[in-house]
Amino acid sequence: MSVSFNGKHLEQFVSANEYAALYPQVEVAHNLLESKSGPGNDFLGWVDLPRDYDKEEFARIKAAAARIREDSDVLVVIGIGGSYLGARAVIEAVKGQMYNSTGKTGLQIFFVGNSISPDYFQDILDCCKGKRFSINMISKSGTTTEPALAFRVLRKVLEEQVGPEEAKKRIYATTDRARGTLKQLADAEGWETFVVPDDVGGRFSVLSAVGLLPIACAGCDIEALMAGAETGRQKFSVLSADNDCYKYAAVRNILYRKGKSVELMACYEPNFTMMNEWYKQLFGESEGKDQKGLMPTSVIFSTDLHSMGQFVQDGARMLFETVVDVKNPGRDVFLDPIEGNFDGLNFLSGQNMSVVNRKAMEGTILAHNDGGVPIGVIQVDSLSEADLGELIYFYERACAISGYLLGVNPFDQPGVESYKKNMFALLGKPGYEDRKAELEAKLN
Ligand code: PA5
């Protein structure tokens, strides 16, 4: 049982009766999802993806990854939001945050096009200088400003470095199956393409080519990732009051309705940092609409106990915590006693550092509980590919059920367009003249 949800530290905040009272709504949400009759029902391709994924494309992904690992020193992955977070999250969880410096992927992997910072971009260009590099451009629409800008520049650098013909073999485009400018360009230029399925939205796309190609390039086992996700699909798609995924979704909504407006995702493994970022997009974009929704936030403990710990313990009582308890760290450190015991910590010696980390977690859970913070615990055996696959499915399914319980369409993101319109207007994009004048008047 590698992924489960433990509600022990919620007991004083959410009673069994409350869960029983909400459960009929969970049934409705489950049926909406299964019958594909709820809001956003044209974006449910992720539901059975771990079973129904395109096996032919999967084999091409593995072949492309092997080629990139053979002919490149660096892979630059271009994408933003759902076209970036999942891949980076899995790579860092499996290989570690420091994978580029420790050489754990055997290939340096950099992510660009997820901001418009010229300084950050120049740093990545510097990392590509003199190296054999390939590009994976990921954009379902093909027109998102951040990745499109990065791609323009990087493509030119690559073509100048290896010549236009060789560059064609080093550009991989992950985009819409048939539509969009990137698909047209890729076909015209002869770049290998991979598909963002029509019915899978960006934030649910990590188990499609969007995530799988970069993840495979990092040397991760994508077969195990998909097998783990399939385990999750079978386990968490069952309509039952004992379904841990549905319990988690229900508890979030019970606490939200009781006035908790923030969910704090906490993990004691820094390598989980980007998984937290992925979770924030998944739930934030899915639920934050119609002036509703829990605000997803995250911390890495014990690091952030020294920054956010005070607030969580004793600040405004607006949040609940969801702890991701990773049972087995990838590696451990044995603590030897030191002569003189100058720091007074010899009582910790003779055991592994993971024990100290676990006691920090247990002590913090109890302290935060005493401070009035409800805490649910998502338990996961490890950050292996298989366990992450299961965890990803757990989150995706919980997000869909939670969104339906909240009464929103969990699969659209209309609010994301507002900043784009203003940015285009201020930059003078043709057709936005009136808006430009209006916005500039407000700014000045
Ligand atoms: O979840 C989403 O839909 C978004 O985060 C998109 O993935 C993001 O905006 C990138 O879009 P695109 O892949 O079209 O460039």
Side-chain angles (χ1 to χ4, degrees):
M1 177 106 158
S2 90
V3 176
S4 57
F5 182 68
N6 182 337
K8 180 170 176 39
H9 304 289
L10 287 165
E11 279 167 6
Q12 46 177 310
F13 306 94
V14 178
S15 71
N17 288 346
E18 287 175 276
Y19 180 53
L22 189 68
Y23 188 69
Q25 292 174 45
V26 173
E27 286 182 326
V28 171
H30 169 92
N31 290 332
L32 285 176
L33 202 57
E34 286 298 302
S35 62
K36 297 193 181 343
S37 55
N41 56 3
D42 42 354
F43 282 100
L44 295 180
W46 60 271
V47 172
D48 293 319
L49 195 60
R51 182 191 62 197
D52 297 343
Y53 64 90
D54 180 340
K55 311 294 184 299
E56 180 276 327
E57 184 185 57
F58 193 80
R60 273 199 309 117
I61 289 171
K62 290 209 293 188
R67 198 161 55 246
I68 293 168
R69 287 171 66 77
E70 179 68 34
D71 72 12
S72 306
D73 307 310
V74 172
L75 171 69
V76 185
V77 181
I78 306 177
I80 194 165
S83 293
Y84 137 77
L85 283 164
R88 187 166 167 194
V90 172
I91 293 170
E92 292 197 8
V94 175
K95 299 288 179 184
Q97 280 184 307
M98 306 293 283
Y99 62 90
N100 275 336
S101 23
T102 55
K104 272 202 210 161
T105 71
L107 169 83
Q108 285 194 303
I109 301 179
F110 297 111
F111 290 88
V112 298
N114 51 66
S115 80
I116 321 176
S117 161
D119 207 11
Y120 174 83
F121 192 59
Q122 284 292 358
D123 282 344
I124 304 298
L125 289 178
D126 287 345
C127 293
C128 295
K129 257 186 212 142
K131 303 254 180 73
R132 302 173 305 157
F133 77 96
S134 295
I135 299 172
N136 182 200
M137 170 62 176
I138 309 175
S139 179
K140 188 173 188 176
S141 63
T143 54
T144 308
T145 310
E146 292 89 339
L149 269 181
F151 184 51
R152 280 178 169 231
V153 179
L154 260 172
R155 182 184 166 194
K156 191 158 167 273
V157 171
L158 181 64
E159 287 176 348
E160 283 169 3
Q161 191 174 306
V162 297
E165 284 315 304
E166 177 61 22
K168 287 185 200 304
K169 298 181 206 148
R170 292 175 168 276
I171 297 176
Y172 299 82
T174 307
T175 188
D176 193 88
R177 186 182 305 278
R179 286 169 307 205
T181 50
L182 182 57
K183 174 65 181 160
Q184 282 169 18
L185 187 62
D187 287 347
E189 295 288 331
W191 306 330
E192 181 159 14
T193 58
F194 297 94
V195 173
V196 189
D198 275 346
D199 55 357
V200 178
R203 59 190 174 276
F204 286 85
S205 69
V206 55
L207 299 174
S208 75
V210 171
L212 294 177
L213 180 57
I215 292 168
C217 285
C220 298
D221 181 349
I222 58 172
E223 303 259 5
L225 183 74
M226 294 307 280
E230 173 58 8
T231 302
R233 189 189 70 83
Q234 290 179 16
K235 215 162 107 176
F236 300 126
S237 304
V238 178
L239 180 59
S240 155
D242 293 328
N243 181 334
D244 277 359
C245 173
Y246 290 3
K247 274 190 206 163
Y248 167 58
V251 156
R252 301 176 85 249
N253 278 270
I254 291 169
L255 290 167
Y256 176 66
R257 292 176 196 186
K258 285 177 150 179
K260 301 296 181 194
S261 53
V262 174
E263 178 178 34
L264 184 67
M265 192 63 60
C267 186
Y268 288 70
E269 293 295 337
N271 289 341
F272 202 78
T273 303
M274 289 305 297
M275 280 296 293
N276 274 343
E277 296 304 311
W278 174 80
Y279 140 81
K280 284 192 267 192
Q281 188 206 1
L282 182 66
F283 281 83
E285 254 183 20
S286 298
E287 293 194 311
K289 51 196 69 160
D290 307 330
Q291 289 77 56
K292 294 195 281 193
L294 274 164
M295 182 171 179
T297 62
S298 67
V299 282
I300 294 295
F301 287 159
S302 68
T303 312
D304 294 328
L305 286 172
H306 297 257
S307 60
M308 293 290 286
Q310 172 63 36
F311 191 102
V312 179
Q313 185 68 45
D314 204 22
R317 301 296 73 188
M318 65 207 281
L319 57 84
F320 69 92
E321 207 175 311
T322 302
V323 173
V324 179
D325 173 8
V326 182
K327 296 280 180 200
N328 301 296
R331 292 184 297 173
D332 220 324
V333 174
F334 186 75
L335 301 168
D336 286 316
I338 56 167
E339 215 180 304
N341 191 22
F342 72 91
D343 54 6
L345 293 179
N346 268 358
F347 76 98
L348 296 176
S349 62
Q351 62 191 345
N352 286 323
M353 197 183 273
S354 60
V355 175
V356 184
N357 203 21
R358 175 150 300 278
K359 294 302 160 197
M361 182 187 79
E362 290 169 357
T364 305
I365 287 174
L366 297 177
H368 289 177
N369 246 190
D370 285 346
V373 181
I375 301 176
V377 181
I378 296 172
Q379 296 167 316
V380 57
D381 280 350
S382 73
L383 297 182
S384 68
E385 290 91 332
D387 289 344
L388 279 168
E390 189 177 329
L391 183 63
I392 285 168
Y393 195 85
F394 172 92
Y395 274 123
E396 289 182 346
R397 185 112 190 163
C399 181
I401 297 294
S402 185
Y404 281 156
L405 289 174
L406 182 67
V408 298
N409 174 355
F411 306 111
D412 66 359
Q413 55 283 329
V416 180
E417 294 310 309
S418 304
Y419 97 91
K420 293 183 191 168
K421 286 184 195 142
N422 285 357
M423 179 176 76
F424 289 146
L426 290 168
L427 285 166
K429 186 172 180 178
Y432 288 74
E433 292 77 6
D434 289 351
R435 198 180 184 99
K436 179 176 165 68
E438 199 185 304
L439 294 177
E440 282 178 346
K442 283 188 189 172
L443 283 173
N444 300 323

